[in-house]
Amino acid sequence: MTYDLYIGDRTFSSWSLRGWLMLEKFDLPYSSHMIGLYGGTMAQDMAPLAPATLVPALQLPDGEVIGETLAMAETLAERHPDKHMWPTNPSARARARWLCAAMVSGFSALRNECPMQLQHVNKGFPVSDALAKDLTRLEQLWDHAALASDEKGPWLLGSYSLADVFYAPVCARIIGYDLPVSDKARQYCDTTINDSAFKAWRAEGQNVTYDPFPYDMGLETQGWPVD
């Protein structure tokens, strides 16, 4: 039984990163397939997966296609209860689901002003009022989630869960734009980008070069903090 995961460019596709981490971090069997997100072939590549039109898309072993990362997460958690993709504690599980839904539906300033890029760190990025509000809300939710956990650990609810999958691209944005957050939030972001799975995803993306770079902010840059 193998899943087929269709993804976009690893350096930029935040939603694809989420889909991939669901499978990779919870040791589920899968094959990944690249969609031409920046190569102009996306519509053609996605046609066999209709009605899905965006990455990531997940094809189940029986051929069923699932779009949208939240639907993918619930489907995989339901099919693999032994993997404990959601926290086992009911309160922690409820808050993890809340976190994931909040990520999907909110934080528009963070997503729009700071598109994910895993190439370098932008220095001196201007933080708008809307972005500052998103960062404050983000830390409020992270702190609230931690209160529900009865486990000790470096992740949002102690042990790694789907909540950490959904916020991995957020951590990448905070690092990639050197955004102002608390030391506690920065430590969580550092934990995320130092995780072996995240590092493997980023390393694979570095094999592709772009000219021009899609998200050149015209700012001074420095190297990504971890290889």
Side-chain angles (χ1 to χ4, degrees):
M1 181 185 69
T2 301
Y3 296 99
D4 287 288
L5 178 69
Y6 295 82
I7 60 174
D9 299 54
R10 291 172 183 257
T11 300
F12 308 110
S13 183
S14 58
W15 297 94
S16 294
L17 171 58
R18 291 189 184 98
W20 183 82
L21 284 173
M22 293 177 201
L23 297 160
E24 181 69 18
K25 288 292 293 182
F26 293 98
D27 196 28
L28 301 178
Y30 71 95
S31 295
S32 59
H33 310 275
M34 186 64 64
I35 295 295
L37 194 59
Y38 291 88
T41 63
M42 184 173 180
Q44 176 184 335
D45 295 344
M46 293 293 296
L49 303 171
T53 59
L54 300 172
V55 289
L58 182 69
Q59 189 165 39
L60 306 184
D62 63 4
E64 180 76 22
V65 174
I66 307 295
E68 301 296 341
T69 52
L70 198 54
M72 291 166 54
E74 290 287 11
T75 298
L76 291 171
E78 181 181 61
R79 291 169 65 93
H80 301 279
D82 58 308
K83 297 295 185 179
H84 303 298
M85 299 175 77
W86 293 116
T88 55
N89 175 283
S91 180
R93 186 164 61 251
R95 294 189 191 190
R97 284 194 165 106
W98 182 6
L99 281 177
C100 293
M103 183 65 257
V104 170
S105 63
F107 302 105
S108 58
L110 177 61
R111 294 207 307 263
N112 294 333
E113 297 179 30
C114 305
M116 190 185 83
Q117 58 81 29
L118 306 180
Q119 184 69 44
H120 52 245
V121 176
N122 289 290
K123 304 298 292 184
F125 185 79
V127 177
S128 68
D129 290 344
L131 178 54
K133 184 176 180 180
D134 273 359
L135 294 173
T136 297
R137 177 59 173 166
L138 178 71
E139 295 206 47
Q140 182 184 40
L141 287 176
W142 284 0
D143 288 343
H144 182 68
L147 295 175
S149 176
D150 55 6
E151 299 183 33
K152 300 297 182 182
W155 302 104
L156 289 174
L157 294 119
S159 297
Y160 194 91
S161 75
L162 285 166
D164 301 294
V165 166
F166 274 71
Y167 282 85
V170 170
C171 292
R173 287 177 165 94
I174 289 172
I175 298 296
Y177 293 85
D178 195 24
L179 298 178
V181 294
S182 68
D183 290 344
K184 182 180 179 182
R186 176 71 63 163
Q187 183 177 15
Y188 172 63
C189 293
D190 286 341
T191 296
T192 297
I193 68 168
N194 277 282
D195 182 69
S196 59
F198 186 99
K199 290 168 69 174
W201 170 274
R202 179 181 178 272
E204 190 70 24
Q206 299 308 294
N207 294 326
V208 182
T209 58
Y210 299 88
D211 186 16
F213 189 74
Y215 300 116
D216 184 354
M217 297 295 171
L219 298 171
E220 177 188 351
T221 65
Q222 66 182 40
W224 192 258
V226 293
D227 293 328

